[in-house]
Amino acid sequence: MARIITISRQFGSGGRTIGKEVAERLRIPCYDSEILEKVVEASGFSRDYVEERGEYLSGKSSFFQAFVDRDYNGHSIQDDIFMIQQEVILDLAKSPCVFVGRCADYILRDRNDCLKVFIHADMESRARRIVEQYGEKSDSPMKRLKDKDSRRAAYYQFYTDMKWGDVRNYHIALDSGSLGIHKCVDILENLWKTF
């Protein structure tokens, strides 16, 4: 039986909502912004600083990022944040839980009791969701989706050396635009019991 569920997701796909609802049904914690708070506490950096660097590379490409803001050993503050985040996730994974984002699937890659999930949806469903649910402006949601996804993908590839969203990195990929949030939750709840 799975003890841990990791949810990677496209921006606007409802992955965070799915993770929280699955955790509620299973009566286990869901960690998303809670990881951020623990990293802020451990690092001493501001919440905004950690939030921006805890799941996204800055607007630059991963190739460019590899050479920017690094000391003579090739180390950066973003690397420190990733390492603290990794320690937080490993500590929290001592008990059953759901993780949303933050490369948790990669960090827990050696665990046999970890169900790795990718949530995606078509652009129209995601654009509608970020306008209706997140309060984004309706004039450029597609641009916002592409920007967030490309920065998430660059961060994931930089720290894992794997392609974000590649189905080979996950046990299951769910289309929340077609299935709906509640059906995705049902599927993951059932998988948790049989995985």
Side-chain angles (χ1 to χ4, degrees), residues 57 62 65-66 70 79 153-162:
L57 287 183
S62 58
Q65 186 72 28
R70 299 198 169 271
D79 296 339
Y155 179 89
Y156 187 85
Q157 184 164 358
F158 186 80
Y159 282 104
T160 69
D161 201 27
M162 298 187 320

Side-chain angles (χ1 to χ4, degrees), residues 13-179:
S13 66
R16 174 180 294 135
T17 301
I18 291 166
K20 291 198 178 294
E21 287 188 24
V22 167
E24 282 179 27
R25 285 196 195 176
L26 297 173
R27 296 188 174 128
I28 59 175
C30 179
Y31 298 113
D32 180 17
S33 60
E34 297 82 0
I35 296 170
L36 181 70
E37 296 306 325
K38 289 181 181 294
V39 173
V40 166
E41 186 179 306
S43 70
F45 294 120
S46 74
R47 187 181 198 286
D48 288 343
Y49 188 85
V50 172
E51 186 171 28
E52 184 62 23
R53 287 160 180 81
E55 199 170 29
Y56 304 102
L57 287 183
S58 62
K60 306 162 188 118
S61 72
S62 58
F63 176 79
F64 185 71
Q65 186 72 28
F67 301 102
V68 173
D69 300 328
R70 299 198 169 271
D71 65 17
Y72 63 92
N73 289 320
H75 188 82
S76 73
I77 292 173
Q78 185 149 1
D79 296 339
D80 292 335
I81 291 170
F82 181 81
M83 295 305 292
I84 294 168
Q85 185 170 277
Q86 179 172 280
E87 290 305 314
V88 167
I89 289 169
L90 289 169
D91 186 54
L92 293 171
K94 292 176 182 172
S95 300
C97 62
V98 174
F99 289 106
V100 178
R102 309 198 186 283
C103 298
D105 61 306
Y106 175 78
I107 292 167
L108 301 172
R109 67 193 174 282
D110 296 329
R111 301 240 340 217
N112 294 332
D113 62 347
C114 181
L115 176 63
K116 296 180 279 185
V117 180
F118 189 79
I119 306 293
H120 62 97
D122 60 273
M123 290 291 275
E124 292 76 25
S125 297
R126 293 166 53 213
R128 187 171 47 255
R129 182 174 180 81
I130 68 169
V131 170
E132 293 172 2
Q133 302 287 319
Y134 304 170
E136 295 281 336
K137 293 184 168 124
S138 59
D139 55 341
S140 63
M142 298 294 190
K143 181 182 181 313
R144 178 104 163 106
L145 291 170
K146 288 176 184 174
D147 177 59
K148 288 279 247 188
D149 283 348
S150 69
R151 292 174 62 213
R152 237 176 227 174
Y155 179 89
Y156 187 85
Q157 184 164 358
F158 186 80
Y159 282 104
T160 69
D161 201 27
M162 298 187 320
K163 186 173 182 199
W164 177 76
D166 185 332
V167 294
R168 293 172 293 186
N169 299 330
Y170 310 96
H171 294 110
I172 187 169
L174 298 173
D175 183 344
S176 62
S178 296
L179 296 170

